Amino acid sequence: MNVLRCNLYVKITLWMLLNLVLLAVLGCGFSLYLMAGRGQDGILPASLFSTRADSALRVISANLQYHSVLEWEELLEPHARRLPVHVHLQSLDTESIRDTAIPERMVEQAKKLPRAIYSFCPSPEVMFWDPMGSTMFAGKNSNVEYGLPPVPPALFRHTDSPSRYWLGRVMYIPDGNRQIHTVLVVLESDTVDGHGLFFDFDALCLLVLAILGVSFLWWLPFVRHLSRPLRRMAEYAEEVEFDKFSCVDRPFLSDRDFSGARKDEIGRVGYALVSMTQRMNRMLTGQRQFIRYVAHELNTPLAKAQMGLGVLECKLSGDERVRVQQVLRHIKRLSVLTEEVLSYLQAKAAMNTPKDVVVDLCSFLSSTVQGEAPEDDVHVEVEPGLSLVTDRDYLQRMVSNVLRNAQHYAGDCGPIVIRAEKKDAEIVISVMDSGPGVPEEDLPSLCEPFFRGRAAVTHPGGTGLGLSIVKYCIEACGGRMEYENRRPRGFAVRLWFPVKKKGHGLWEDGAEM
């Protein structure tokens, strides 16, 4: 239990050591099996080789037994022709059969192998002659058990000049006189796999895959132990919106990965991430309240200053009147700034829940243009009878901000077109200008509060809050905003609203019945 609470470095180190121990145990076990206590210098367990080689050797042995030794080479020839390798025989107990092609070292190793003590399952009436004087071939009344001899180890060697590979097995073959001969049967090939006869590479591949699978299953729980909380932290960080903090109160934040119950580095990072997000939320909430208070308090003296300067302007003339007009323009600009800050904070805080009312778009857009740009070249294009069910104040704020942006950045470059139309199940209001557009690198950040990009140099005086206000207002109304550069010139902002019903007195497009 204390190991589970230790830091991540110790966990990884211990798990790595355990994995090495596992690999060492598997390697040692395989090596012990390979060596079988004496498996060196070419002596290997027969089970490492293909069953095809074992079957070929047994067939050769079965076809030679009970025949004269002088006939063995002739009997061997048709079987050898069917195999992709050469076959050699060497007697280990007499000089009756000898093949000089077999490596001498292999013959010496074969002679040192222990001999079997079982017969070939003969009939109980058959008596075998044992020239060595052992009990191996005793009669039926002896206590010797009859049966197949145990499988001896295989001999495998490689020789040079020319390159050859040799696979040999010791076989016990009775001749026509019932005399048992200990024979070394050798298969010779010019390839290491004996043209597919020596080794079963499919089994080898399965063995490798099994080892990799065991290693994968061994590491999988620990990798998941590390990756799962890290992935969740990444998802949490990606979903957090600093303007809404939508993830701060998510239910999963109370689990051990984020609550501080997990004591390793991952648990500490998760807890620190949540704590930091909560602190930033409290800090930004306080800042918004302060900015809202300051902006609200500034509106009153600014309004009084505008009123007093307006009265003073009427009484002055000449240079004094011009100076007062300049001051009025600066105060108006400051009033617009405070109004935009208040609109932005209000939209973010959702101070007012949108109220759905029927808005006739033709009259609404025309009156908005008259109020915001009475002297500019603005064209309004609306489908006849098109109405929208949404909050009128929010819609006024959206269209006004987009129109002011178009005036500020492209008002002298050509007409501004405001178009309202229905597309499928949505109503779209487009505001398109003919200005230079927005630099491509600035497009992804246009909705960030106070972001102005290159426009801060080319068009000073903005706040960078216009599209931020539009974004929050249209999301509050259940719609979406799109913007893009037009070709060959211009910039377009499109406000998409879902078609809604208002009680039972409207069609789906919002028109009155």
Side-chain angles (χ1 to χ4, degrees):
M1 197 66 182
N2 292 331
V3 174
L4 297 178
R5 293 181 175 273
C6 63
N7 60 45
L8 195 58
Y9 180 80
V10 175
K11 284 184 178 181
I12 294 176
T13 303
L14 291 177
W15 204 263
M16 181 180 64
L17 292 175
L18 287 174
N19 185 65
L20 293 177
V21 170
L22 174 64
L23 294 178
V25 170
L26 292 176
C28 291
F30 181 77
S31 299
L32 291 174
Y33 172 74
L34 185 66
M35 300 304 176
R38 60 197 190 309
Q40 56 184 351
D41 198 16
I43 301 177
L44 299 173
S47 56
L48 292 180
F49 296 89
S50 172
T51 56
R52 293 181 58 197
D54 182 71
S55 299
L57 293 171
R58 289 186 181 277
V59 169
I60 291 172
S61 173
N63 282 275
L64 297 182
Q65 61 185 352
Y66 306 122
H67 290 85
S68 173
V69 175
L70 300 178
E71 299 176 356
W72 280 5
E73 290 187 4
E74 182 179 352
L75 294 171
L76 182 64
E77 185 176 352
H79 299 288
R81 284 200 302 266
R82 291 194 293 267
L83 296 174
V85 296
H86 299 289
V87 182
H88 304 272
L89 297 178
Q90 173 74 45
S91 177
L92 300 179
D93 47 19
T94 67
E95 295 293 330
S96 58
I97 307 173
R98 184 173 179 81
D99 193 331
T100 57
I102 301 176
E104 187 64 28
R105 179 60 179 166
M106 180 176 282
V107 176
E108 294 176 0
Q109 290 173 330
K111 290 180 178 180
K112 295 178 181 179
L113 293 177
R115 305 297 175 87
I117 59 173
Y118 292 91
S119 73
F120 278 82
C121 294
S123 171
E125 287 78 15
V126 177
M127 297 295 294
F128 282 90
W129 172 51
D130 179 13
M132 307 298 294
S134 68
T135 59
M136 178 177 175
F137 310 110
K140 66 176 183 178
N141 296 324
S142 67
N143 295 324
V144 177
E145 296 183 6
Y146 292 96
L148 290 174
V151 178
L155 302 171
F156 189 76
R157 296 194 66 82
H158 173 249
T159 58
D160 299 319
S161 301
S163 178
R164 289 291 184 268
Y165 296 89
W166 307 79
L167 172 62
R169 286 270 298 278
V170 175
M171 312 295 291
Y172 302 99
I173 307 176
D175 61 12
N177 297 321
R178 303 295 193 270
Q179 179 181 351
I180 299 296
H181 294 269
T182 305
V183 181
L184 174 63
V185 185
V186 179
L187 305 178
E188 174 194 357
S189 174
D190 57 351
T191 62
V192 68
D193 64 340
H195 300 282
L197 186 64
F198 291 174
F199 297 105
D200 189 353
F201 283 106
D202 292 339
L204 182 61
C205 291
L206 290 176
L207 177 63
V208 173
L209 290 176
I211 294 175
L212 293 178
V214 171
S215 180
F216 173 77
L217 294 176
W218 178 265
W219 278 99
L220 183 62
F222 187 65
V223 172
R224 185 176 181 274
H225 176 70
L226 297 181
S227 62
R228 181 174 175 272
L230 292 176
R231 184 175 61 252
R232 297 181 66 202
M233 281 185 275
E235 293 173 353
Y236 170 77
E238 290 169 354
E239 293 179 10
V240 167
E241 296 184 15
F242 286 102
D243 297 313
K244 294 181 179 179
F245 283 88
S246 58
C247 289
V248 171
D249 297 324
R250 287 271 298 271
F252 73 80
L253 298 182
S254 60
D255 66 20
R256 65 187 302 269
D257 291 335
F258 296 90
S259 63
R262 180 169 175 164
K263 300 303 182 182
D264 60 11
E265 286 84 348
I266 292 180
R268 292 171 59 188
V269 169
Y271 181 72
L273 178 63
V274 173
S275 300
M276 178 187 67
T277 307
Q278 293 174 340
R279 289 195 302 270
M280 293 181 66
N281 184 32
R282 291 192 294 267
M283 179 182 67
L284 292 178
T285 300
Q287 289 181 350
R288 291 168 187 160
Q289 293 174 349
F290 174 75
I291 294 173
R292 187 183 298 115
Y293 173 78
V294 171
H296 179 74
E297 292 300 317
L298 282 175
N299 276 341
T300 301
L302 287 176
K304 292 181 179 179
Q306 276 185 302
M307 185 180 298
L309 289 173
V311 174
L312 182 60
E313 180 188 9
C314 297
K315 297 181 179 180
L316 297 177
S317 61
D319 294 339
E320 288 81 3
R321 184 183 181 90
V322 173
R323 291 175 183 174
V324 171
Q325 290 175 346
Q326 291 176 346
V327 174
L328 279 173
R329 284 195 294 271
H330 288 304
I331 292 179
K332 183 178 179 181
R333 178 180 168 187
L334 185 59
S335 298
V336 171
L337 174 61
T338 57
E339 181 63 29
E340 285 188 352
V341 171
L342 285 175
S343 299
Y344 167 73
L345 294 174
Q346 180 179 352
K348 255 191 334 183
M351 296 175 63
N352 298 321
T353 302
K355 299 178 180 179
D356 289 342
V357 296
V358 180
V359 180
D360 181 75
L361 291 179
C362 183
S363 59
F364 170 80
L365 293 176
S366 299
S367 63
T368 301
V369 170
Q370 287 296 321
E372 294 292 338
E375 300 178 357
D376 291 342
D377 187 8
V378 182
H379 301 168
V380 178
E381 303 174 1
V382 183
E383 292 182 3
L386 186 62
S387 299
L388 179 63
V389 179
T390 188
D391 188 288
R392 189 181 187 90
D393 293 336
Y394 277 62
L395 183 61
Q396 177 75 42
R397 193 175 299 162
M398 285 184 269
V399 176
S400 298
N401 275 281
V402 176
L403 181 57
R404 281 199 294 267
N405 275 355
Q407 288 178 279
H408 184 68
Y409 295 108
D412 299 331
C413 297
I416 299 173
V417 178
I418 301 179
R419 181 180 300 146
E421 54 190 335
K422 183 179 179 182
K423 292 186 177 181
D424 298 328
E426 293 178 299
I427 295 176
V428 56
I429 300 176
S430 305
V431 180
M432 300 169 285
D433 62 52
S434 303
V438 177
E440 292 294 330
E441 62 270 19
D442 290 347
L443 285 176
S445 305
L446 284 185
C447 289
E448 294 182 7
F450 304 104
F451 176 82
R452 302 201 63 226
R454 293 187 182 181
V457 178
T458 58
H459 296 79
T463 61
L465 291 174
L467 289 183
S468 298
I469 295 171
V470 176
K471 177 177 181 290
Y472 288 113
C473 289
I474 196 168
E475 288 178 352
C477 294
R480 57 190 173 88
M481 178 181 67
E482 296 177 353
Y483 54 83
E484 62 180 356
N485 284 319
R486 301 175 65 197
R487 296 292 182 267
R489 288 176 58 84
F491 187 74
V493 177
R494 294 182 177 85
L495 308 175
W496 296 82
F497 297 87
V499 173
K500 299 180 181 179
K501 291 183 179 180
K502 180 64 177 177
H504 299 284
L506 297 175
W507 300 100
E508 285 188 349
D509 60 357
E512 294 182 3
M513 294 179 61

